[in-house]
Amino acid sequence: MSDHLQDLLAREADRVDVPAPPTRDVVRRGRAIRRRRRALGGVAAVAALGLVGGAVHGLGSLTDSARTVDPASPLPAGPVYAVGNEVTYAGGRASGTVEDPAVKSLYYTSVGILVRHGENALSDGGGPQRFSLLGADGSVTRLALTTRDAVHATDPSLPYVAYAEEVDGVLEAVVRDVGVDEEVARVSVGPTRAEGFPVSLDGDLLYVSEGYGGEVHAVDWRNGSVADSGLPGVDDVAGGLVTSWEGGVPMVVDVATGATVLSSEAPGYFDLSPGGRHAMFVDEDAEADVDTASVEVYDVASGEHVTLDGPGYEWGWTPDGDPFRIDRESGELTTCVASTGDCTSTDIDLPPASGCARSTVNSAATPPCEETGDDLRLGGRAYES
């Protein structure tokens, strides 16, 4: 294809008006999920048994092709991880350092890696949470955002971070553009007495849970509409899919159709890849034995899966949707192809796990020493409860 033709196609693509997701339809489908689950209880049980046995039976087809292909990431391909306050990305070929002793978690956005950091690597009760944006060119930009005990979410295809907070007894959903470092939306969800507000972001829709295990609100943050999603709970969102549960059964649900795409009777949880093409299932019973623990990585559209060795908490996702793992003791980095299970391993230099960190932002002559535990953080993993 000629450069001229490529340029014309790119310009036409920019002119395409992509409509906002049909909020009412999404909410309607969400409300139908409970009813659908009761009507299809027997079928859901078959699907769950199929998953445990190794074959997944989807309860609905994914007609949206965007849900079967992870979006191209502006970030270099390869694992993203942090030790202490240094973030390594692009498969170890680049790095950046934040102005704090430790990184708490890493998020993928369309404008770079969003780094949540602070005095220690702890998320719950770990003190102020500060943020920096690590660009693909290695630049590190400190953002004017500080939160406490909030849960944050991003959509890899967008330049936003979202979270929820209580302001004078009212639950407010907040969306901030990290590319320009400005708040772009704040939606009043309603009065609340809950504590802790898990959030998930998927395009124009922000799912806000009223406490842990409480009502899940579907917030269209662009037009300010708020509705009950009808979902029993939301852990993760990507590409129109949500990881949820009902009656202790973990599942992946296609919100647009209300179909349960994956489910399991084994205790555990699903974790979606950045674009929602793959889902990793972690069996919490199997996690008891670290030496024999493994995870299953499913192709959401086909139900095919591969098995990867290692406990779930050691696995992250690259920006382009492949699982990777770091063995802290051996210093071995393993990256796998999600669709085939083929893996490659390399040795990396890692400092020993930090048990104490001294502040680089405290001006006192003898800054405080705080417990940090294991300060290794993987991209694509949630470190907020």
Side-chain angles (χ1 to χ4, degrees):
M1 183 182 297
S2 68
D3 292 341
H4 178 64
L5 181 56
Q6 285 181 324
D7 183 58
L8 288 176
L9 289 173
R11 291 184 182 183
E12 285 301 317
D14 290 339
R15 295 192 184 102
V16 175
D17 184 17
V18 180
T23 309
R24 291 183 179 179
D25 290 345
V26 169
V27 171
R28 177 174 56 82
R29 289 293 185 181
R31 287 173 176 167
I33 288 175
R34 288 196 182 96
R35 296 193 298 271
R36 185 184 183 92
R37 205 94 69 229
R38 295 189 184 99
L40 300 178
V43 181
V46 173
L49 290 173
L51 174 56
V52 174
V56 179
H57 302 275
L59 301 186
S61 61
L62 296 178
T63 57
D64 186 350
S65 61
R67 294 181 190 138
T68 63
V69 179
D70 284 340
S73 169
L75 300 173
V80 177
Y81 60 92
V83 178
N85 63 351
E86 183 174 4
V87 181
T88 301
Y89 62 104
R93 299 184 302 276
S95 64
T97 303
V98 299
E99 295 179 352
D100 253 330
V103 168
K104 294 176 180 291
S105 58
L106 303 160
Y107 312 86
Y108 301 142
T109 78
S110 64
V111 291
I113 303 167
L114 181 64
V115 186
R116 181 171 63 103
H117 50 86
E119 295 294 322
N120 52 59
L122 303 176
S123 287
D124 300 326
Q129 304 175 124
R130 294 178 277 269
F131 294 82
S132 294
L133 183 66
L134 177 61
D137 59 355
S139 60
V140 180
T141 303
R142 178 69 173 269
L143 304 181
L145 173 63
T146 301
T147 62
R148 276 184 178 271
D149 298 324
V151 178
H152 308 82
T154 62
D155 180 327
S157 66
L158 299 173
Y160 308 120
V161 62
Y163 60 97
E165 61 184 3
E166 179 185 348
V167 179
D168 297 329
V170 176
L171 175 59
E172 295 187 350
V174 184
V175 178
R176 190 178 187 89
D177 188 323
V178 298
V180 296
D181 197 15
E182 292 180 357
E183 186 175 301
V184 294
R186 182 175 286 266
V187 181
S188 176
V189 179
T192 183
R193 293 182 179 179
E195 294 183 0
F197 308 105
V199 298
S200 298
L201 177 65
D202 189 27
D204 290 353
L205 283 179
L206 178 61
Y207 297 91
V208 182
S209 298
E210 187 105 14
Y212 292 87
E215 180 180 356
V216 181
H217 304 279
V219 179
D220 187 320
W221 60 268
R222 290 193 186 275
N223 64 28
S225 64
V226 180
D228 177 7
S229 70
L231 295 167
V234 172
D235 283 332
D236 191 16
V237 174
L241 302 170
V242 301
T243 59
S244 186
W245 67 91
E246 188 168 28
V249 175
M251 60 190 68
V252 177
V253 175
D254 183 335
V255 177
T257 65
T260 299
V261 184
L262 300 173
S263 63
S264 174
E265 289 185 344
Y269 58 91
F270 286 99
D271 182 28
L272 294 169
S273 65
R277 179 180 179 182
H278 292 93
M280 181 183 296
F281 180 71
V282 179
D283 185 334
E284 292 181 326
D285 279 350
E287 298 281 274
D289 189 342
V290 177
D291 294 331
T292 61
S294 62
V295 298
E296 306 292 329
V297 177
Y298 287 84
D299 183 301
V300 174
S302 70
E304 296 180 356
H305 75 281
V306 296
T307 301
L308 302 178
D309 293 334
Y313 57 81
E314 288 188 358
W315 286 99
W317 294 102
T318 67
D320 44 343
D322 282 327
F324 74 97
R325 173 194 180 197
I326 295 179
D327 187 319
R328 186 62 186 266
E329 292 185 2
S330 67
E332 185 176 64
L333 167 64
T334 301
T335 306
C336 303
V337 179
S339 57
T340 66
D342 294 335
C343 301
T344 58
S345 297
T346 57
D347 292 329
I348 57 177
D349 293 328
L350 290 178
S354 173
C356 181
R358 293 193 178 277
S359 173
T360 58
V361 296
N362 192 315
S363 60
T366 306
C369 180
E370 300 196 19
E371 294 299 322
T372 63
D374 189 351
D375 55 358
L376 173 66
R377 293 292 180 263
L378 308 181
R381 271 195 59 82
Y383 290 94
E384 298 157 298
S385 63

